[in-house]
Amino acid sequence: MAESLMETNASCGGPDSRAVAARLAALSHPARIEILKHLSTSNSCCCREVVDRFDLAQSTVSQHLKILVEAGLVRFEPDRQRSRYAIDHAALADISASVAALVNSCCSGR
Amino acid sequence: MAESLMETNASCGGPDSRAVAARLAALSHPARIEILKHLSTSNSCCCREVVDRFDLAQSTVSQHLKILVEAGLVRFEPDRQRSRYAIDHAALADISASVAALVNSCCSGR
DNA sequence: ATCGTTCATCGGCGATAGACGATGAACGGG
DNA sequence: CCCGTTCATCGTCTATCGCCGATGAACGAT
């Protein structure tokens, strides 16, 4: 889901930078990284499972999961009274590619 | 960041996650991404140059540069009354590799 | 010696992040 | 029907971010 908008915004970063920054922000928290890793171990996880695994309040975990979902890194699917969370591998691969592209563009300058 | 809870506990976030998160945090700001891109165009840049290019106050740019330096993404070298900033390509490549490794470890789970 | 330039840092301000407990909705099981 | 479980959300609190203007240090030039 690469945003290819064209904004002539000289002030603070092109639209691309903003999109990349937003997704990286979701990744830039140790708890969320660990949650992602945990989600990868089982193909689907409920909130309670994560709460049991990490030493965080249920509301805190719920917020982290929400952030991951809103960033598109995790898919959400309600299941009875549970909430199933699963990694979106494509989105993760996309982020990895975005970072690689950014790094690459920074190296091409010389 | 939340240092209080996940201090030395293996249950919530390894040290690796924290290191990755810290470096990604430096990258997760559109202005800093743009500054990095700009630094890549010339092999060395002073603060004033960045200030002229972006619509940000000098103090703001200085702070962003400091964050990038502290994250290890940019090298700093004082030069007369100037301050030379240059991209650390190795560090950038390292981050890219870290993200790729994280994504990979998340995909290996299934 | 004085000025102009460059820069880092300080202090302040508004906004946001990140944590928590409490609450209520949704649902399953007794 | 009541109760326990799961979860999202709200409200609150503190800490940090991101921005700015102001200030002073360092340095070159006049």
Side-chain angles (χ1 to χ4, degrees):
Chain A
M1 296 305 167
E3 337 272 327
S4 50
L5 294 169
M6 256 321 189
E7 282 178 356
T8 53
N9 194 348
S11 66
C12 187
D16 199 40
S17 299
R18 209 169 307 178
V20 173
R23 289 190 298 176
L24 285 184
L27 258 189
S28 62
H29 193 288
R32 290 197 285 271
I33 290 181
E34 287 300 312
I35 289 176
L36 273 184
K37 285 184 185 173
H38 178 63
L39 287 183
S40 73
T41 63
S42 61
N43 59 356
S44 178
C45 226
C46 67
C47 180
R48 184 67 160 82
E49 232 174 301
V50 182
V51 171
D52 285 343
R53 196 158 210 313
F54 302 101
D55 196 19
L56 292 172
Q58 179 266 325
S59 55
T60 304
V61 170
S62 188
Q63 280 193 43
H64 280 311
L65 286 169
K66 186 182 182 181
I67 289 172
L68 288 172
V69 168
E70 282 175 345
L73 306 185
V74 165
R75 277 189 309 255
F76 164 75
E77 182 191 2
D79 172 32
R80 322 285 177 176
Q81 76 272 40
R82 305 286 185 84
S83 289
R84 318 292 305 176
Y85 291 97
I87 283 194
D88 188 328
H89 296 87
L92 269 191
D94 197 45
I95 283 201
S96 182
S98 294
V99 173
L102 169 63
V103 168
N104 223 34
S105 83
C106 283
C107 287
S108 68
R110 37 184 321 185
Chain B
M1 297 305 177
E3 319 280 341
S4 50
L5 277 181
M6 35 194 82
E7 198 66 38
T8 57
N9 205 345
S11 71
C12 186
D16 199 36
S17 297
R18 205 174 312 178
V20 173
R23 289 190 298 176
L24 285 183
L27 257 189
S28 62
H29 192 287
R32 289 196 286 270
I33 290 181
E34 287 301 312
I35 290 176
L36 273 184
K37 285 184 185 172
H38 177 64
L39 288 183
S40 75
T41 63
S42 62
N43 58 356
S44 177
C45 224
C46 67
C47 180
R48 184 65 161 82
E49 230 175 303
V50 182
V51 171
D52 285 341
R53 196 160 210 316
F54 302 100
D55 197 18
L56 292 171
Q58 179 266 327
S59 55
T60 304
V61 170
S62 188
Q63 280 193 41
H64 280 310
L65 286 169
K66 185 182 183 183
I67 289 173
L68 289 171
V69 168
E70 284 174 345
L73 305 185
V74 165
R75 279 190 308 256
F76 164 75
E77 181 191 3
D79 171 32
R80 323 286 178 174
Q81 75 272 41
R82 303 286 183 85
S83 290
R84 317 293 304 175
Y85 292 96
I87 283 194
D88 188 328
H89 295 88
L92 268 191
D94 197 45
I95 282 201
S96 181
S98 293
V99 173
L102 169 63
V103 167
N104 223 35
S105 82
C106 283
C107 286
S108 67
R110 39 183 319 191

